[in-house]
Amino acid sequence: MKTLKFLVFCILSFSVLSCDNDENNEANRLSVEEYIDHLKAGKYDSLELPNFTSKDIPALLKYRNETQMIEDFPVNGISSFYMPECPLGMYALWTIESIRAVAIDSEYLIGRFPSQNPIVKKKGDAFEVESGSEIQKIVAKAYFDWWAENKNLDFAKFKNTDPLSETDYTWH
């Protein structure tokens, strides 16, 4: 009897979790500008990153240097690292990494989250996260240069190139 109850619970839970609800539909219809406005205002309600594509990368790159701290943003549920706030620019860059990670079907992808957190760490260091305006400038420059060097190519030709490959950092 317990097995039957557990099975029914699992089926109902899966049904609820897999529903195509209005919240996710609304998030997927947002423009980059609306997404950024919602993040700035603390009104982005989706639990997932938007379903942006490579066509949205130039608009997201406009925000790469933004230092305004945001406090209400979707986080990867598997991470035990708590981030009460994040610079908007780093979050925009992480959103770009989400586009790339989805395109390459990254092994690190959880939903649309490209890594555990919108923060970087030194390569080879499992736990030492790095933050601050200087780190953001390095990451922002890496993504800007990656896009500038490749924007005239088909995205499929450079989606596998990690923008951070020439830096000492990787997403946490």
Side-chain angles (χ1 to χ4, degrees), residues 7-118:
L7 182 60
V8 170
F9 173 77
C10 288
I11 291 170
L12 289 174
S13 296
F14 179 76
S15 298
V16 170
L17 292 174
S18 65
C19 287
D20 190 15
N21 62 32
D22 289 337
E23 173 187 305
N24 286 333
N25 284 336
E26 183 179 333
N28 288 334
R29 288 189 298 262
L30 288 176
S31 69
V32 168
E33 291 73 21
E34 290 169 323
Y35 171 62
I36 296 295
D37 288 345
H38 285 225
L39 287 172
K40 285 180 175 180
K43 294 184 178 182
Y44 185 76
D45 293 332
S46 179
L47 299 176
E48 188 64 77
L49 294 172
N51 190 18
F52 290 141
T53 69
S54 60
K55 292 177 180 142
D56 297 302
I57 293 174
L60 286 162
L61 278 171
K62 292 178 185 175
Y63 300 96
R64 71 189 180 279
N65 296 317
E66 291 284 331
T67 58
Q68 174 185 342
M69 298 304 273
I70 57 173
E71 297 176 352
D72 190 16
F73 49 89
V75 295
N76 189 333
I78 69 160
S79 178
S80 61
F81 184 78
Y82 174 66
M83 286 187 68
E85 59 185 16
C86 179
L88 179 61
M90 284 298 281
Y91 206 81
L93 293 164
W94 198 53
T95 304
I96 294 169
E97 184 59 18
S98 170
I99 294 167
R100 198 181 75 78
V102 167
I104 64 171
D105 195 23
S106 171
E107 66 183 292
Y108 302 108
L109 202 59
I110 304 292
R112 293 194 65 82
F113 295 109
S115 67
Q116 289 189 37
N117 300 288

Side-chain angles (χ1 to χ4, degrees), residues 149-158:
E149 291 169 11
N150 297 292
K151 66 183 177 185
N152 294 323
L153 301 173
D154 185 318
F155 188 61
K157 294 186 181 199
F158 66 96

